[in-house]
Amino acid sequence: MTAVLTGATGFVGSRLCAELLRRTDRDLVCFVRAGTEAEATERVRATLRKQDPDVADSPRLRGIPGDVTAGLPDEVPGVTDVYHCAASVNMGAAYEELVAVNVGGTRNVVRYARAAGAPRLHHVSTLAVFLNGTAAGLRSVDETTVATSMTVGPIGYPRSKYEAELAAMDAGDVAVTVYRPGLVLADSRDGACPEDDFVARLYGAVTMTGCYPVALSNIPVVAADHAAAQIVALSLKESGVGQAFHISAPELLPARELFTQAVRHGYRLREVTADEWIAALRDHSPDRRALAMRLLRTATNILGLTPETAVPDVTCAATTRAIPEIASPAMDEPYFGRLLNTLARRGTIPQPVGGRR
Amino acid sequence: MTVRGTLTTVLTEEFDVDGEVTDHATLDDLGLDSISVVELLDTLSKRLNIPLADDDMNKQTTIATALEILTTRSEAAD
């Protein structure tokens, strides 16, 4: 049996790759942007060596050059499951910049899965499809709630991922399961996190301005390794076909806690109104950290800068019911400490001035 | 200075755009990244004394569209 994975060198995809090698005995073919098969395989192994060395040299792993936007290589024989995790997750990009990878890429993967006769497609989406849910009249969201163009709202990233979900569901005989992670945060094992994602930009901006906005959302967050463990565990169940699963820690994170954790870690930050924070970002422009934050229109929703834009409360009851055995790591002070240490070590944020380290 | 003149001057003098600023070129074509586009909006907002939001333009915005936005806002501000 063989599984196919796209996005294997990405932040979530690489952890999904490791988890598939660890939890199954299948061969795993990864479509990677590369010139040759050797280069494709080495790119995946190099990524795994940094975070999952136990499976990095698995003989069951094979990279094949392939780009979701440019068509995929000939069908691999005996594919049972296609995992589609490749996407542009740039929340600051315009819809026009994301549509080719996120929507066109998904259409190509669906076409591939159908041509390969794969029985199952596992599509990694995002809970951002409910980003605008409050304005659309939703108080709370569970796995039976239907995402619509209203719950998605106008911002490029959620729009493109919503259309990608629709494209994934249109897969004919292929049985599709959709996984919607919340805001993906650092790996719980070592605090590894992306260099330029929403969270890195947010901490870059608040440590620069010395203040953070009053934030009303309760955010579904998930550690990257936990997201991968949940997706793989769910994908190995027979049930779940035609269904969406929410991939999140069981408890929502009050948005304010993103900031109070930084204060506990020794950063001197004060809470200001949303308007004052936006003014502070303008005052600090053209510093690129301020400009980068201003690009993130999703912050209005993710943080909840007004009651109308705050995200609806999301539950993940279907996921918890299906895989009670997968425990969430604690999203606590040591966890955020590791995340902040990674950002400080990299120079994304300064070292804290006081408090605990 | 005309709106077109201001836009061309800002792009060539402050954003190091070399070569011709044609109507069908996108800001991406001219070498601006997403962050530079926000900086461009700030600069134009000050120069033309008009309100511009951070999402009024993006990398895929063409010069023709940018001129349309700037002209509409300038007329509204008059």
Side-chain angles (χ1 to χ4, degrees):
Chain A
M1 294 214 297
T2 301
V4 160
L5 171 66
T6 70
T9 56
F11 184 54
V12 174
S14 58
R15 287 161 178 85
L16 203 54
C17 177
E19 195 66 10
L20 283 166
L21 290 168
R22 210 178 274 132
R23 304 289 165 214
T24 76
D25 54 8
R26 298 176 194 171
D27 290 331
L28 182 62
V29 170
C30 301
F31 290 144
V32 182
R33 279 176 296 178
T36 64
E37 195 169 317
E39 195 192 320
T41 307
E42 181 49 32
R43 277 195 62 199
V44 181
R45 291 201 196 285
T47 308
L48 293 182
R49 265 179 219 121
K50 284 180 267 171
Q51 68 205 35
D52 293 284
D54 56 316
V55 290
D57 294 305
S58 166
R60 289 183 286 121
L61 173 67
R62 179 182 166 204
I64 294 186
D67 181 340
V68 294
T69 59
L72 290 164
D74 286 343
E75 296 85 56
V76 176
V79 175
T80 55
D81 294 77
V82 175
Y83 292 81
H84 177 40
C85 195
S88 171
V89 294
N90 184 349
M91 293 197 206
Y95 172 80
E96 292 77 12
E97 298 170 55
L98 299 167
V99 65
V101 176
N102 291 356
V103 187
T106 300
R107 288 205 184 102
N108 284 334
V109 169
V110 166
R111 206 170 293 139
Y112 174 86
R114 295 180 74 163
R120 288 192 74 175
L121 170 64
H122 305 278
H123 175 72
V124 181
S125 182
T126 169
L127 275 169
V129 296
F130 296 112
L131 196 68
N132 198 44
T134 303
L138 296 176
R139 280 273 180 82
S140 65
V141 167
D142 66 20
E143 278 111 334
T144 64
T145 310
V146 178
T148 68
S149 59
M150 287 300 296
T151 67
V152 171
I155 300 176
Y157 176 69
R159 263 185 73 196
S160 71
K161 289 296 285 184
Y162 169 64
E163 288 177 18
E165 267 195 20
L166 296 181
M169 296 306 283
D170 187 19
D173 292 339
V174 184
V176 181
T177 307
V178 171
Y179 307 89
R180 296 184 184 131
L183 183 66
V184 178
L185 300 181
D187 192 308
S188 69
R189 298 168 296 178
D190 58 0
C193 56
E195 275 178 39
D196 190 32
D197 69 347
F198 179 88
V199 176
R201 285 189 181 187
L202 181 65
Y203 280 126
V206 296
T207 53
M208 177 184 55
T209 56
C211 59
Y212 61 85
V214 173
L216 306 173
S217 284
N218 292 309
I219 313 173
V221 294
V222 63
D225 51 318
H226 182 221
Q230 288 187 83
I231 293 170
V232 170
L234 288 164
S235 75
L236 298 176
K237 305 272 179 195
E238 292 296 322
S239 56
V241 167
Q243 198 182 330
F245 288 103
H246 294 170
I247 305 299
S248 155
E251 305 288 330
L252 298 171
L253 184 82
R256 189 167 184 270
E257 208 166 304
L258 286 171
F259 308 119
T260 53
Q261 289 287 4
V263 171
R264 261 178 235 135
H265 198 61
Y267 291 94
R268 298 221 172 110
L269 305 173
R270 66 195 172 87
E271 190 173 54
V272 298
T273 65
D275 286 343
E276 286 168 334
W277 192 58
I278 290 162
L281 290 176
R282 287 191 176 272
D283 288 345
H284 281 80
S285 302
D287 186 305
R288 288 182 75 84
R289 284 170 296 180
L291 295 170
M293 190 65 225
R294 285 169 54 189
L295 268 176
L296 294 176
R297 291 168 65 213
T298 48
T300 309
N301 301 95
I302 295 177
L303 299 176
L305 298 186
T306 66
E308 300 75 38
T309 55
V311 292
D313 286 353
V314 173
T315 59
C316 50
T319 301
T320 316
R321 252 196 326 272
I323 47 164
E325 69 277 15
I326 306 291
S328 173
M331 308 299 271
D332 54 4
E333 197 176 328
Y335 173 84
F336 280 95
R338 290 192 293 277
L339 187 165
L340 291 161
N341 281 339
T342 303
L343 294 175
R345 205 164 43 239
R346 222 183 253 149
T348 308
I349 59 174
Q351 294 289 344
V353 288
R356 282 163 276 169
R357 284 282 302 280
Chain B
M1 195 186 279
T2 60
V3 168
R4 180 184 289 272
T6 306
L7 177 60
T8 310
T9 308
V10 166
L11 283 171
T12 49
E13 290 178 4
E14 297 187 31
F15 289 84
D16 300 328
V17 170
D18 47 9
E20 207 187 338
V21 179
T22 60
D23 275 9
H24 63 263
T26 64
L27 296 173
D28 189 29
D29 294 337
L30 299 174
L32 273 71
D33 64 13
S34 305
I35 292 175
S36 307
V37 175
V38 182
E39 200 180 351
L40 174 68
L41 286 162
D42 275 358
T43 310
L44 292 170
S45 171
K46 278 186 207 126
R47 287 293 178 82
L48 297 166
N49 198 23
I50 53 171
L52 289 170
D54 291 344
D55 58 349
D56 274 338
M57 298 178 198
N58 60 61
K59 283 199 306 183
Q60 306 302 319
T61 304
T62 62
I63 294 298
T65 308
L67 285 169
E68 208 178 294
I69 294 166
L70 297 174
T71 308
T72 315
R73 297 296 159 82
S74 300
E75 282 164 3
D78 282 344

